[in-house]
Amino acid sequence: MKELRAKLNDIAKRRGIFWNSYDIYGGVGGFYDYGPVGSLMKKNLLDIWLEEFVYKDGLFLIDAPAIGPEIVYRASGHLEKFTDYMVRCKSCGHAFRTDELIKDYVEFPDALSPEEIEKVIREHGIVCPDCGGALGEVEEFHLMFSTRIGLDKIGFLRPETAQGIFVNFPTLYRINREKLPMGVAQIGRGYRNEISPRQGVIRQREFQMAEIELFVDPEDKFNEDMIEDYSLPLLTMNGENIKISAKEAYKSGLVNGYILYYMVKIMKFMERIGVDTSKVRFRQHHREELAHYSKDTWDCEVLISRGWVEVLGISYRGAYDLEHHMRYSGVDMRAFRKFKEPKKVRRSRVIPRMEILGPMFKGNAMKIAQQMEEIEIEGEKKELKIEVNGKTYEVPPEAYDVVDEEVTLSGERFIPHVVEPSFGIDRILYSILEHSFYEREDSGYKVLRIKPEIAAIKAGVFPLMAKEGMDSKAREIMKILRERGINAYYDESGSIGRRYARADEIGVPFCITVDYQTLKDSTVTIRERDSTEQKRISITDLPDTLDSLIKGKLEFSEI
Amino acid sequence: MKELRAKLNDIAKRRGIFWNSYDIYGGVGGFYDYGPVGSLMKKNLLDIWLEEFVYKDGLFLIDAPAIGPEIVYRASGHLEKFTDYMVRCKSCGHAFRTDELIKDYVEFPDALSPEEIEKVIREHGIVCPDCGGALGEVEEFHLMFSTRIGLDKIGFLRPETAQGIFVNFPTLYRINREKLPMGVAQIGRGYRNEISPRQGVIRQREFQMAEIELFVDPEDKFNEDMIEDYSLPLLTMNGENIKISAKEAYKSGLVNGYILYYMVKIMKFMERIGVDTSKVRFRQHHREELAHYSKDTWDCEVLISRGWVEVLGISYRGAYDLEHHMRYSGVDMRAFRKFKEPKKVRRSRVIPRMEILGPMFKGNAMKIAQQMEEIEIEGEKKELKIEVNGKTYEVPPEAYDVVDEEVTLSGERFIPHVVEPSFGIDRILYSILEHSFYEREDSGYKVLRIKPEIAAIKAGVFPLMAKEGMDSKAREIMKILRERGINAYYDESGSIGRRYARADEIGVPFCITVDYQTLKDSTVTIRERDSTEQKRISITDLPDTLDSLIKGKLEFSEI
């Protein structure tokens, strides 16, 4: 399996799929460049993602900055909890994540305290993997990249694009005319300052994410019709590997309905983009593994040369994020749920006295007043504690009045729950590469069996020989294809066999050859990558035929 | 003009085009979110950019990280030179860019030294714009966001995507089979830690770039046929406003050929995306304005409510960047130029003695040896100074031999020159919004006359009334359109007039209405945004017709 990786990495660097960034300066761990071939594959992959998950479902797409102010990540819990433990080697000074070091000895390495980790290291005599030296004490290491905004405001690079969606919930909910469920998607880079990333494109410090936050009313009845009858490969929290129909999994209560909806969509997506679905499973997190914000998480794992690797996760984040941002910002992050019948209730309402609050709290007075209005007073008036922007303000009793009133309520406000499918695009792309790699039995030539939709370049156009007008004809055809939006290239160098082999290596699905017959009857040969079969077709029909082949509307055998 | 901005900002926030980021926390200056409408407009704009500048010209597209190690920005000159001057107010503490403060008094505020700036402030009695307080001393302020990679490596967020291309020149040149010209494009975020950004989306700290680095051989004769006969609006260095044909401008030597090639492409691009080309000009930089890497720069400026604003620049960067990265990395960044005839020359060649260099320089020995081989020795052997990764190494005479030889050279190595069109996508998008805004003469309703290709949503589908099956029919049509890849939405709320007005406000070009006649004969009305004309069309024809209208293949009057 290591050999497969070596072969793939060789093609990746040599042919422009990806390579370690800044290699003229010796490279920097955890950073990768996508080359001319890889960047287009990624673009095609993201466009299909948008089509399947955003456009078809009518979700919102937003685009927020990667840099965020400290308060956002204090509220989200990342500032406090988004850390790894590490140890440094006492002789060579290299640093290592402890979970990587001890993962062969304990089941949930992430769940241990520093003392427990040190105990495992001691008991198993674990030493530095690089030099065999003794390891030092366990230290905490923060995974967010920090920076400074302007002169002195602390900022962080987002570890997930999700927070850029959560902080905008009130605005988005209003734009959606206060309707739920509301799905909001975002595509963008995520950043995690890993200690010592050593797994190629699988573990990057700057990576491509595509995330969806689906805001739902937890009291709404889930519409069972959303779930198709599709057989899902699950690995449950109890370690059971099962194949179960999505409908069954819903009825038995094993998996949340929205999570199941996405599981089915994801399986179909994987099929469309060319991940081998027999090597895909959904693994439920154990309680000990769950991220600080999650109530239930199912990872979608793909089997590659490094074993089962998480390529995306579906988390039930509940009300966690909105609740926290509401508390830290003092802004109402709730949605409104209408009662079937209006309700009459008696209540004691707080009426803020702005003439006192204004001078007392200045710029924060409005936010404080808004929160005070939500409070119900029972018994005596007393000092109120109000949290705004992460600070607690003490409001004296004279700063408000209390009225006792009967009101008719048409509904109530509540914090929506969130279901989050979060995709690691680099890992999905890498899975496609591994699953599509093979060597021809006869020649040993390497081929990437990439789906035409994902392939960076759709067609190579070759003159049989670069003379007698075959070259200019081939260039002309290339231009026609490009004008039609079909990414084509021209190649006249080496034998036709070599040119086919070069095309196969980066997954070009179709090669067009201009030969002597072309000059007579305006037909060309079109050769399919995997079958290596060839057909003859008129130049006039070529753009339409290729377009249909790429979009999967036509099989090569039907030409 | 301020009123136009206020109206646009209102629509932008209310309808989901853009808004200041993190507004629940009071907002952070210089950061903006694109909402559901703005993010799709940006995506459409970038797709057209890719089509026009990358696919049609067969350029490479790459995708490099935003974080880079210190040495990259030391080599590029940004570490030393990418700074602004600022002053702080002595009373309120607010900070200001000095060029903004003094721009009304001097012609090239960026060209002054701190002493000269202080003199201008003193002479004109400039005080704090916020509180009228006295201003302190001029300080230097670095515009790059810095961070830490891993435990202790200094890193920066790229101020331009360009460096991610330059550092990859050797790899890309090899992938391109050592041919020039070679164009490489990249789309991504750029980062500049502005002191006090106050111009909305026009001056952001995190912004969307799209850049091209065109590597050329400066000795290649420029192919004049690349330049179309197109009339260009130029504002030359001497302050002259001229209209001149591109061919003329080339022949007179006024503008570099490649820059002209891009000027023409850019004018056509602006027209396609809906920027009013009568409000576009190319302004040549004065010597004093040029960035540290540039020999000649033409900004493309667009006239908006804030005056003429730079939305992109075309710079002739010469050999600057590759030369610097070659010096700092010790890696050969040159291209190869074949002679017409092989040349015979005598020369003294350095032959490194690896048995001495190896132990002496360890990991750097190979790079040092490679550079030594490029040196020609005249006279005595002596100590050589070799620069690798920004450090200078002293190589003693005994570490190499010299042979005198006659060699036949087939060509020579040289550093390619770079022409760089660099697009500020946020500013272009904002220009589109301003240029497409108008109010209907009769009703005063606001409309965005956005080109259908750029519009976020292509069609609204409305039932005349939400009953008698018109609602379900309309939903069905919406689904058909979405399946066809046409972004459509359903709206049943309010009068048809109100629904049209809501659609107009975010530039939806076409509205489909399902009425009683639809239920009888399966036709719908289609209404065009700007003319407000309506036609009746069968549902069967609708997807094709809409598709052609959006792509500009069909005029509404032709239906």
Side-chain angles (χ1 to χ4, degrees):
Chain A
M1 291 310 259
K2 223 173 163 179
E3 201 195 349
L4 164 61
R5 275 213 298 284
K7 285 177 185 169
L8 249 184
N9 284 336
D10 167 62
I11 295 177
K13 170 90 201 236
R14 194 162 38 77
R15 301 301 309 280
I17 306 177
F18 61 77
W19 56 77
N20 187 209
S21 304
Y22 310 113
D23 58 357
I24 63 166
Y25 291 108
V28 181
F31 292 94
Y32 281 81
D33 293 340
Y34 285 96
V37 172
S39 65
L40 288 183
M41 286 183 65
K42 190 165 85 160
K43 154 96 177 128
N44 295 339
L45 178 56
L46 286 172
D47 278 350
I48 294 174
W49 188 87
L50 275 173
E51 189 185 320
E52 291 291 343
F53 291 96
V54 180
Y55 303 152
K56 278 194 186 163
D57 284 359
L59 300 198
F60 280 172
L61 181 72
I62 77 159
D63 199 14
I67 296 178
E70 186 180 13
I71 185 140
V72 169
Y73 294 102
R74 187 180 294 284
S76 73
H78 284 89
L79 198 58
E80 196 191 340
K81 290 172 184 156
F82 196 58
T83 55
D84 268 351
Y85 289 117
M86 57 163 264
V87 283
R88 274 186 243 237
C89 169
K90 286 180 184 170
S91 11
C92 72
H94 290 183
F96 305 90
R97 282 171 57 161
T98 57
D99 58 352
E100 287 291 326
L101 289 178
I102 64 175
K103 70 176 176 203
D104 295 338
Y105 307 102
V106 275
E107 202 178 357
F108 303 113
D110 290 329
L112 302 193
S113 70
E115 295 71 34
E116 288 167 328
I117 295 169
E118 274 171 13
K119 206 175 141 209
V120 175
I121 290 177
R122 223 171 27 244
E123 278 176 3
H124 294 87
I126 300 172
V127 291
C128 172
D130 285 354
C131 79
L135 297 171
E137 271 175 33
V138 172
E139 303 168 48
E140 206 171 13
F141 179 74
H142 209 285
L143 291 173
M144 282 197 293
F145 285 99
S146 71
T147 189
R148 216 161 277 273
I149 304 170
L151 291 167
D152 41 24
K153 210 179 168 80
I154 293 171
F156 293 98
L157 292 181
R158 61 183 174 202
E160 52 175 8
T161 69
Q163 299 303 326
I165 298 175
F166 295 136
V167 296
N168 281 313
F169 177 76
T171 302
L172 294 165
Y173 181 58
R174 189 184 39 68
I175 293 172
N176 202 37
R177 296 196 226 158
E178 314 212 332
K179 284 195 190 97
L180 292 185
M182 170 177 81
V184 185
Q186 186 168 202
I187 290 175
R189 303 272 176 93
Y191 296 84
R192 297 186 188 192
N193 194 12
E194 305 276 352
I195 293 159
S196 47
R198 290 159 197 242
Q199 290 174 278
V201 284
I202 294 306
R203 192 165 294 280
Q204 292 185 56
R205 284 166 163 159
E206 178 170 342
F207 48 95
Q208 183 68 52
M209 307 185 84
E211 298 194 295
I212 293 165
E213 310 301 326
L214 183 70
F215 299 92
V216 300
D217 179 347
E219 291 193 3
D220 264 0
K221 197 174 151 29
F222 177 78
N223 175 6
E224 217 179 307
D225 297 342
M226 283 176 67
I227 302 179
E228 278 179 62
D229 208 1
Y230 193 103
S231 173
L232 294 170
L234 306 184
L235 171 54
T236 67
M237 199 189 284
N238 316 323
E240 274 180 288
N241 264 307
I242 52 172
K243 273 281 222 176
I244 186 171
S245 97
K247 278 199 181 300
E248 196 67 30
Y250 177 71
K251 280 193 197 117
S252 68
L254 182 61
V255 190
N256 169 283
Y258 292 106
I259 293 182
L260 281 166
Y261 171 74
Y262 275 110
M263 282 179 172
V264 174
K265 270 188 94 88
I266 286 161
M267 288 303 285
K268 291 180 171 180
F269 173 68
M270 292 294 186
E271 209 173 312
R272 178 167 172 192
I273 62 176
V275 169
D276 179 351
T277 49
S278 73
K279 295 176 177 171
V280 174
R281 73 180 182 195
F282 292 95
R283 186 181 71 79
Q284 188 176 27
H285 276 209
H286 288 259
R287 300 252 167 276
E288 292 83 356
E289 280 181 281
L290 289 173
H292 62 270
Y293 49 72
S294 178
K295 287 213 170 67
D296 187 18
T297 295
W298 290 81
D299 281 346
C300 175
E301 298 185 329
V302 174
L303 186 61
I304 58 168
S305 62
R306 292 181 189 276
W308 287 98
V309 167
E310 175 204 349
V311 301
L312 67 93
I314 317 175
S315 293
Y316 195 90
R317 295 178 79 130
Y320 180 92
D321 298 277
L322 294 183
E323 208 169 82
H324 277 69
H325 285 300
M326 181 157 157
R327 194 186 312 151
Y328 278 77
S329 68
V331 171
D332 194 345
M333 307 286 280
R334 292 173 300 174
F336 186 76
R337 179 192 294 138
K338 232 177 154 172
F339 294 137
K340 272 182 200 142
E341 302 278 320
K343 284 184 193 169
K344 278 194 180 164
V345 290
R346 281 207 82 77
R347 63 170 194 188
S348 301
R349 192 159 66 86
V350 167
I351 301 187
R353 298 182 61 184
M354 290 312 292
E355 69 277 18
I356 296 176
L357 291 172
M360 196 174 272
F361 300 112
K362 305 205 171 66
N364 289 312
M366 272 305 294
K367 282 188 174 178
I368 290 169
Q370 272 166 24
Q371 286 207 52
M372 288 167 65
E373 284 176 349
E374 301 292 333
I375 294 170
E376 285 210 35
I377 296 288
E378 293 187 28
E380 285 284 288
K381 268 172 74 177
K382 57 187 172 198
E383 189 182 84
L384 301 176
K385 286 190 198 302
I386 304 286
E387 216 166 326
V388 167
N389 290 351
K391 274 192 197 155
T392 306
Y393 296 90
E394 285 160 6
V395 180
E398 64 271 20
Y400 65 93
D401 297 318
V402 177
V403 288
D404 198 43
E405 58 185 10
E406 187 181 78
V407 286
T408 307
L409 299 176
S410 61
E412 61 189 343
R413 299 187 76 79
F414 68 99
I415 299 185
H417 282 200
V418 171
V419 178
E420 176 197 76
S422 170
F423 294 70
I425 297 298
D426 307 279
R427 293 182 176 193
I428 294 174
L429 190 54
Y430 183 75
S431 305
I432 292 174
L433 290 172
E434 276 208 5
H435 290 185
S436 65
F437 177 88
Y438 69 100
E439 290 166 295
R440 291 209 192 279
E441 281 188 19
D442 46 356
S443 59
Y445 283 153
K446 295 168 184 69
V447 188
L448 291 180
R449 192 195 288 109
I450 295 170
K451 294 257 179 160
E453 267 195 314
I454 296 283
I457 303 168
K458 313 298 187 194
V461 188
F462 312 148
L464 184 64
M465 275 169 287
K467 59 181 187 184
E468 290 172 54
M470 285 182 272
D471 45 349
S472 58
K473 190 43 118 186
R475 279 184 210 274
E476 196 186 300
I477 292 171
M478 177 197 73
K479 271 193 199 137
I480 293 170
L481 295 179
R482 279 191 186 166
E483 286 290 328
R484 175 62 189 263
I486 295 168
N487 196 5
Y489 72 107
Y490 170 87
D491 188 3
E492 61 171 42
S493 122
S495 70
I496 284 285
R498 280 211 50 159
R499 285 179 258 170
Y500 283 153
R502 271 202 297 266
D504 291 347
E505 206 177 35
I506 53 168
V508 177
F510 306 106
C511 290
I512 316 299
T513 300
V514 171
D515 53 19
Y516 285 106
Q517 198 177 327
T518 309
L519 305 177
K520 281 182 224 150
D521 66 2
S522 291
T523 61
V524 290
T525 64
I526 172 168
R527 176 238 193 210
E528 197 274 332
R529 178 191 61 210
D530 299 306
S531 63
T532 73
E533 263 179 57
Q534 297 189 26
K535 307 247 179 177
R536 196 161 262 283
I537 176 177
S538 82
I539 295 174
T540 329
D541 293 341
L542 184 64
D544 277 349
T545 303
L546 267 180
D547 193 63
S548 300
L549 285 169
I550 292 161
K551 290 184 177 149
K553 289 180 189 162
L554 181 74
E555 291 290 317
F556 191 75
S557 58
E558 292 168 341
I559 297 180
Chain B
M1 291 312 259
K2 223 172 159 178
E3 201 196 348
L4 163 61
R5 275 212 299 284
K7 285 176 184 169
L8 249 184
N9 284 336
D10 167 62
I11 296 177
K13 170 91 202 237
R14 192 162 39 78
R15 302 299 309 279
I17 306 177
F18 61 78
W19 57 77
N20 187 209
S21 303
Y22 310 114
D23 58 356
I24 63 166
Y25 291 109
V28 181
F31 292 95
Y32 281 80
D33 293 340
Y34 285 97
V37 172
S39 66
L40 289 182
M41 285 184 66
K42 190 165 84 161
K43 154 96 177 128
N44 295 339
L45 178 56
L46 286 171
D47 279 350
I48 293 175
W49 188 87
L50 276 174
E51 189 185 320
E52 291 293 342
F53 291 96
V54 179
Y55 303 152
K56 278 195 186 162
D57 284 359
L59 300 198
F60 280 172
L61 181 72
I62 77 159
D63 200 15
I67 296 177
E70 186 180 14
I71 184 140
V72 169
Y73 294 100
R74 189 180 292 285
S76 73
H78 284 91
L79 198 58
E80 197 191 338
K81 290 171 185 156
F82 196 60
T83 54
D84 268 350
Y85 289 116
M86 57 163 262
V87 284
R88 273 186 245 237
C89 169
K90 286 180 184 170
S91 7
C92 72
H94 290 183
F96 305 91
R97 284 171 58 161
T98 58
D99 58 351
E100 288 289 327
L101 288 178
I102 65 174
K103 71 175 175 204
D104 295 338
Y105 307 102
V106 277
E107 203 179 355
F108 304 115
D110 290 330
L112 302 192
S113 70
E115 295 71 32
E116 289 167 326
I117 295 168
E118 275 172 11
K119 207 176 139 209
V120 175
I121 291 177
R122 223 170 28 242
E123 279 174 4
H124 293 88
I126 301 171
V127 291
C128 171
D130 286 354
C131 79
L135 298 171
E137 271 174 34
V138 172
E139 304 168 48
E140 207 173 13
F141 179 73
H142 208 286
L143 291 173
M144 282 198 294
F145 285 99
S146 70
T147 189
R148 217 159 278 272
I149 304 169
L151 292 168
D152 42 24
K153 208 179 171 79
I154 292 172
F156 293 98
L157 292 181
R158 61 183 174 203
E160 52 175 9
T161 69
Q163 299 303 326
I165 296 176
F166 295 136
V167 297
N168 281 314
F169 177 76
T171 301
L172 294 165
Y173 182 57
R174 190 184 39 67
I175 292 171
N176 202 36
R177 296 198 227 156
E178 314 211 332
K179 283 194 193 99
L180 293 185
M182 170 176 83
V184 185
Q186 184 167 202
I187 290 174
R189 303 271 177 94
Y191 296 83
R192 298 187 187 191
N193 194 13
E194 306 277 352
I195 293 161
S196 47
R198 287 156 198 243
Q199 291 173 277
V201 283
I202 294 305
R203 191 166 295 279
Q204 293 186 55
R205 282 165 163 158
E206 178 170 342
F207 48 96
Q208 183 68 51
M209 306 184 87
E211 297 194 294
I212 294 166
E213 311 301 325
L214 184 70
F215 298 92
V216 301
D217 179 346
E219 291 192 5
D220 264 359
K221 198 175 149 27
F222 178 76
N223 175 6
E224 218 178 305
D225 296 343
M226 283 177 68
I227 302 180
E228 279 179 64
D229 208 2
Y230 193 103
S231 173
L232 295 171
L234 304 184
L235 171 53
T236 67
M237 201 190 282
N238 315 323
E240 274 181 287
N241 264 306
I242 51 173
K243 272 282 218 178
I244 187 170
S245 97
K247 277 200 182 302
E248 197 67 30
Y250 177 70
K251 279 191 197 121
S252 67
L254 183 62
V255 190
N256 168 282
Y258 291 106
I259 293 184
L260 281 167
Y261 171 74
Y262 275 110
M263 283 179 173
V264 174
K265 270 188 93 91
I266 286 162
M267 288 302 286
K268 291 181 171 178
F269 172 67
M270 292 295 185
E271 209 174 311
R272 177 167 173 194
I273 62 177
V275 170
D276 179 350
T277 49
S278 73
K279 295 177 177 170
V280 175
R281 72 180 182 196
F282 292 94
R283 186 180 71 79
Q284 187 176 26
H285 275 207
H286 288 261
R287 299 253 167 276
E288 293 83 356
E289 283 180 279
L290 289 173
H292 61 270
Y293 49 72
S294 177
K295 286 212 173 66
D296 187 20
T297 294
W298 289 82
D299 281 347
C300 176
E301 298 185 328
V302 175
L303 186 61
I304 59 168
S305 62
R306 292 180 190 275
W308 288 98
V309 168
E310 175 204 349
V311 302
L312 66 93
I314 317 175
S315 294
Y316 195 90
R317 295 178 78 130
Y320 180 92
D321 299 277
L322 294 184
E323 209 169 82
H324 278 69
H325 285 300
M326 181 156 157
R327 192 186 314 151
Y328 277 77
S329 68
V331 170
D332 194 346
M333 306 287 278
R334 291 173 302 175
F336 185 75
R337 177 194 296 139
K338 233 178 156 171
F339 294 136
K340 273 181 199 141
E341 301 279 320
K343 285 183 193 169
K344 277 196 178 160
V345 291
R346 282 208 79 76
R347 62 168 195 187
S348 301
R349 191 159 67 85
V350 167
I351 301 187
R353 298 183 59 184
M354 290 312 292
E355 69 277 20
I356 296 177
L357 291 172
M360 197 175 271
F361 301 113
K362 305 202 172 67
N364 289 313
M366 271 306 294
K367 282 187 174 178
I368 289 169
Q370 272 166 22
Q371 286 206 51
M372 287 168 66
E373 285 177 351
E374 300 292 333
I375 294 170
E376 284 210 35
I377 295 288
E378 293 187 28
E380 285 283 286
K381 272 173 71 176
K382 56 188 174 201
E383 188 182 87
L384 302 176
K385 287 191 195 305
I386 304 286
E387 215 167 325
V388 166
N389 289 351
K391 274 191 197 156
T392 307
Y393 296 89
E394 286 160 6
V395 180
E398 64 270 22
Y400 65 93
D401 297 319
V402 176
V403 288
D404 197 43
E405 56 184 12
E406 189 182 77
V407 285
T408 307
L409 300 177
S410 63
E412 62 189 344
R413 299 186 76 79
F414 68 99
I415 299 185
H417 281 199
V418 171
V419 178
E420 176 197 77
S422 170
F423 294 69
I425 297 298
D426 307 279
R427 292 181 176 194
I428 295 174
L429 191 54
Y430 184 75
S431 305
I432 294 174
L433 291 173
E434 275 208 6
H435 289 184
S436 65
F437 177 87
Y438 69 100
E439 289 166 294
R440 290 208 194 277
E441 281 188 21
D442 48 355
S443 59
Y445 283 153
K446 295 169 184 67
V447 188
L448 292 180
R449 193 196 285 109
I450 296 170
K451 294 256 179 160
E453 267 194 316
I454 296 283
I457 303 167
K458 313 300 188 192
V461 189
F462 312 149
L464 184 64
M465 275 169 287
K467 60 181 188 187
E468 291 170 55
M470 286 182 272
D471 46 348
S472 59
K473 192 44 132 183
R475 278 184 210 276
E476 196 185 297
I477 291 171
M478 177 198 71
K479 269 191 199 140
I480 292 168
L481 295 180
R482 279 190 186 165
E483 285 292 328
R484 175 64 187 262
I486 296 168
N487 196 4
Y489 72 106
Y490 170 88
D491 188 3
E492 62 172 40
S493 121
S495 71
I496 283 286
R498 280 213 50 162
R499 284 179 260 170
Y500 283 154
R502 271 202 297 267
D504 291 346
E505 206 176 36
I506 53 168
V508 177
F510 305 106
C511 291
I512 316 299
T513 301
V514 171
D515 54 18
Y516 284 105
Q517 198 177 326
T518 309
L519 304 177
K520 282 181 222 150
D521 66 3
S522 290
T523 61
V524 290
T525 64
I526 172 168
R527 177 242 192 203
E528 195 274 334
R529 179 191 60 208
D530 300 305
S531 63
T532 71
E533 264 179 56
Q534 297 188 27
K535 308 245 179 177
R536 196 160 263 284
I537 175 178
S538 81
I539 294 174
T540 328
D541 293 341
L542 184 64
D544 277 348
T545 303
L546 267 180
D547 193 61
S548 299
L549 286 169
I550 292 161
K551 290 182 177 150
K553 289 180 190 161
L554 181 75
E555 291 290 317
F556 191 75
S557 58
E558 293 168 341
I559 296 179

